[in-house]
Each structure stands twice: as C-alpha cells, then as structure tokens.
Amino acid sequence: MSVLESLLLSLSDPKQIRAMQKKNRLLRAVYVKDAISVNELMKVLGISFPTLNTLILELIEQKLLIQNERGESIGGRKPNLYQLNDGIFKVLCVEVNRFSVKVSFVDNNSKILAPSQIFENNLTRDLEGLKEFEGVIKAYATQNGVSWSDVSGVAISMPGLIDKTKGKNYSFFFESDFDLKDSLEEAFAKKVYIVNDVKLTTYAEQNFGALKQVENGLTILMDWGMALGIVAQGEIYMGKNGFSGEMGHMSFIEDGELCYCGKRGCLETVASGISLVKKASQDITNNVPTLLSKKFNSDNIQPQHIINAALEGDQYAIELITELGKNLGKAIALFVQIFNPERVVLGGNFAKAATLITNPIQQQIQTYAMGRILNNCEVVLSTLSEDEITFGLARYFIVNCFDNDLLPSN
C-alpha cells in the first residue's frame, strides 16, 4: 500500500477525502513532470496561486512533497521546483522474458531499494508455470529482506496479447475464464498492473530515452519475438483492447511456415529470436560450418549466442542476422509508410548486434519506403539501460495508481 492510500484510508470526513484527492491531482502533475514550478502547476491544474500554495504547504508538512532545487530563469530569481518525496511508492518490478524473470524493488524517484535479481523461469502458455512464477517473486522478497508491508504493489511486464483493462494475457498464463491480474492480486494481496513488454519499452523510451519529446515515433522490440510500440501525438497508442503493435504476427510470407499463433507465414517465422534459433539448431545438427557448433548443441542455443558469434566474425552467424535484418527492415518500411514517424528506435536483444542488423534494416527501409517520408525520419538504436527500463515499469505502475486508484472518477 502506498503512503497516499494509507492517508486516504485514515480519513473518514468526506470533505477531508475530497481535499486529499485534490492533493493527489497535484502530486500526479508533479510526478509526471519529475520537477515542476508553481507557475507550471497553475497552468496544468487551472487553480489560483493562493489555493495552490496552501496545498503545497500542506503536502510539504505531510512529507509528500519536497522543494528540491531551483529551475532555469530568463531573468530574475529562479523559480522553486517541487517533486515527490522519496518512498511515497515502493514498487516490486517484475520483467518477464521467455526463460527468465528479473525482479527489482524501486521507489517513485527511481531509487533502487534492493538489488535486482534474475531468476531462471520458463514462461508457459497455460497455467502450469504460474505457481513457480509467483514463487520467484516471493523468493526475491525473502532473499532481499523486502517486507510486504512496505510494498505499494507489483508491476509486471511480459510478452503476449495483454488486455489493457482486464490485465489478462491471451498468450501466456492463459486459460478460459481466468484473469491473470486478479489471480496475482489475490496471491500477493497487493495491487498489480501488467503491461506488454514493448509497451513498457516504448514508455521507458518516452521518459528516459530516444523518444523523449518526440511526438510521433516507433519502437521495435527485437527479441524472441518482434513487436511494435507506437507513439502518436505524444501518447502511446494502445488500440481498443491494448493489442496494438503485434507486428510479429502479421502475414508476411504467403503460404509460409506455420507459426505458433496458428497462422501461416507470420513475420516471426522469418524474423525473430525463435526463427533464428530454429534455423541455427537445424544447421548445427546438419554440421554446417560455424563457431556455434563448437560451443553449443542444437538444444541449448539462444539468440544471444548467435549475436555474439556474429560479432566475433562468424560468417554463418552474420548471414543469419543479415537475413533476419532484411525481413525485419521490409516490415518496418511498411510501418514507416503508415505512421510517418520522426524516429524509429530499435531495441531488445538484437540491438546488441549493432550495424550487423541495422545496415540490412536501413537498406530495406530505403528500398521500400517513400523518400519524402524517410527524409524526416531517423532510425536509431536504443540507448536505454536495464535500470531505465525498470524505472519505466515503476513509473507505469505509479501513474496508473494515480489515474485509477487514487483520483476521483469525475
């Protein structure tokens, strides 16, 4: 439970509750801007200086708000800047991949409260692996001395088709009439928010990375699967249910290979970590000359192994990544045509291949997208650190708390 929720629960007078909710609106505005002046707050909230000043003084007294530093000034005295105090929210951040789970504990000011840990864990399509997944999160708390009474909630990012309102994942931990979010909230007795991994990456890019102050942009997450994040007019485009950006399952090869989603010829069958590993495993079994066969067998190879081999100069691995880049670049060109972005950010595991993958991608984009559209569009590699992605996940949780749990509906 957050400090704000504790305060709200301690209030019984409706007038006091309404006053606290007004303060929550102010705190949200401060949090979204990281640090903000009184004049900016007056514009954002549309309230007078006397009213705003009273709220600020009360929030400082309640140790929810602090005056941190002075901002820039064209002339005269620099304005005071306000931000949330440390530890108002303390969030368990859980980043789920196909075969691992990273767990972290951070607060609203991106302070690391306990060291991150990575656990081996297989993500299952049915509920078979759910209890083990819950156990990983509980084990992290136990091993790092995290008291559940200090935890505001659990923020989870994971691949899959995730309903933005229900928190239901139709790709993993799925069963008919089963709600993943509700189940996890019952298991942890905490508020839980679940977000698709590419939506999280895009959110982190907006707040800490290459899409900061970019009104129209795309994020391509290149990992076991391929996914697209869309920023339109400064907002992440989610679609009606939150299913936007499933580029990996668009039809790409006519009468192509059967994809695990049940359709044939999906992009992921020719451009993904899954397809790369499948191809490499077959070729290693068939004794194709490559450094990979000296280090790995067909059962334990992973995308990162292929990327590392390519960076070491292995011709076979380079050819695999080049072919993947060509297919992916052609697909990206279609989205550049449709969305007319000012920036395309390439992130995920395959971004580590650097020019080995960006060169074929750029070549295909130049081939298949109109020159006039490309003149105002740049393709860049993500510079996000692992911590910044975690901070983005905590931020996603906190903003959702403000919007859905702490503020009145009217």
Side-chain angles (χ1 to χ4, degrees), residues 273-323:
I274 295 172
S275 65
L276 202 69
V277 165
K278 184 176 181 179
K279 171 66 173 167
S281 296
Q282 291 171 346
D283 289 345
I284 288 173
T285 300
N286 293 329
N287 298 315
V288 172
T290 170
L291 293 174
L292 294 167
S293 60
K294 298 178 181 178
K295 298 180 180 180
F296 310 100
N297 59 47
S298 59
D299 296 325
N300 64 6
I301 192 166
Q302 294 191 18
Q304 186 59 54
H305 302 148
I306 301 170
I307 293 168
N308 291 342
L311 292 172
E312 290 171 11
D314 182 63
Q315 192 60 43
Y316 169 78
I318 291 172
E319 289 171 0
L320 279 184
I321 289 177
T322 299
E323 186 62 26

Side-chain angles (χ1 to χ4, degrees), residues 94-103 117-125 129 132-133 136 157-160 172-173 197 223-225 260 268 272-278 281 298-306 349-350:
V94 183
E95 299 164 59
V96 185
N97 293 308
R98 290 291 181 94
F99 303 108
S100 66
V101 174
K102 177 186 173 186
V103 189
Q117 276 185 263
I118 296 177
F119 300 83
E120 289 186 5
N121 185 260
N122 289 344
L123 183 59
T124 59
R125 298 197 180 279
E132 184 178 348
F133 171 69
V136 162
S157 71
M158 62 190 306
F172 300 100
F173 295 148
D197 53 2
D223 218 301
W224 282 98
Y260 65 83
E268 282 196 9
S272 67
I274 295 172
S275 65
L276 202 69
V277 165
K278 184 176 181 179
S281 296
S298 59
D299 296 325
N300 64 6
I301 192 166
Q302 294 191 18
Q304 186 59 54
H305 302 148
I306 301 170
N349 207 22
F350 282 97

Side-chain angles (χ1 to χ4, degrees), residues 338-374:
I338 294 168
F339 292 105
N340 186 24
E342 55 189 286
R343 185 170 295 160
V344 178
V345 185
L346 304 177
N349 207 22
F350 282 97
K352 298 172 185 175
T355 55
L356 292 178
I357 195 164
T358 57
N359 285 347
I361 286 175
Q362 288 272 23
Q363 184 183 46
Q364 295 298 95
I365 292 174
Q366 292 287 341
T367 300
Y368 290 102
M370 293 175 65
R372 189 172 294 277
I373 296 176
L374 287 177

Side-chain angles (χ1 to χ4, degrees), residues 25-154:
R25 290 190 184 280
L26 190 158
L27 291 170
R28 184 195 187 282
V30 170
Y31 181 68
V32 168
K33 291 289 187 179
D34 291 322
I36 190 170
S37 68
V38 169
N39 285 338
E40 288 178 291
L41 279 170
M42 287 170 60
K43 293 176 184 177
V44 170
L45 299 172
I47 57 179
S48 65
F49 174 77
T51 300
L52 179 60
N53 192 53
T54 298
L55 291 173
I56 287 175
L57 291 175
E58 290 177 359
L59 287 169
I60 290 175
E61 186 177 348
Q62 291 175 312
K63 301 187 185 303
L64 296 175
L65 201 65
I66 58 173
Q67 180 183 315
N68 188 34
E69 58 184 77
R70 293 189 182 276
E72 296 295 327
S73 174
I74 297 175
R77 185 181 178 184
K78 293 181 178 180
N80 293 329
L81 295 181
Y82 297 94
Q83 73 175 86
L84 263 62
N85 206 347
D86 293 342
I88 304 301
F89 292 90
K90 299 177 181 179
V91 186
L92 268 180
C93 297
V94 183
E95 299 164 59
V96 185
N97 293 308
R98 290 291 181 94
F99 303 108
S100 66
V101 174
K102 177 186 173 186
V103 189
S104 313
F105 192 39
V106 302
D107 82 347
N108 47 276
N109 286 336
S110 298
K111 292 188 180 296
I112 298 172
L113 305 176
S116 299
Q117 276 185 263
I118 296 177
F119 300 83
E120 289 186 5
N121 185 260
N122 289 344
L123 183 59
T124 59
R125 298 197 180 279
D126 55 21
L127 303 185
E128 181 183 357
L130 182 57
K131 288 301 178 185
E132 184 178 348
F133 171 69
E134 293 171 0
V136 162
I137 299 170
K138 292 176 181 177
Y140 171 85
T142 300
Q143 292 172 20
N144 289 278
V146 175
S147 171
W148 281 95
S149 61
D150 286 339
V151 176
S152 303
V154 183

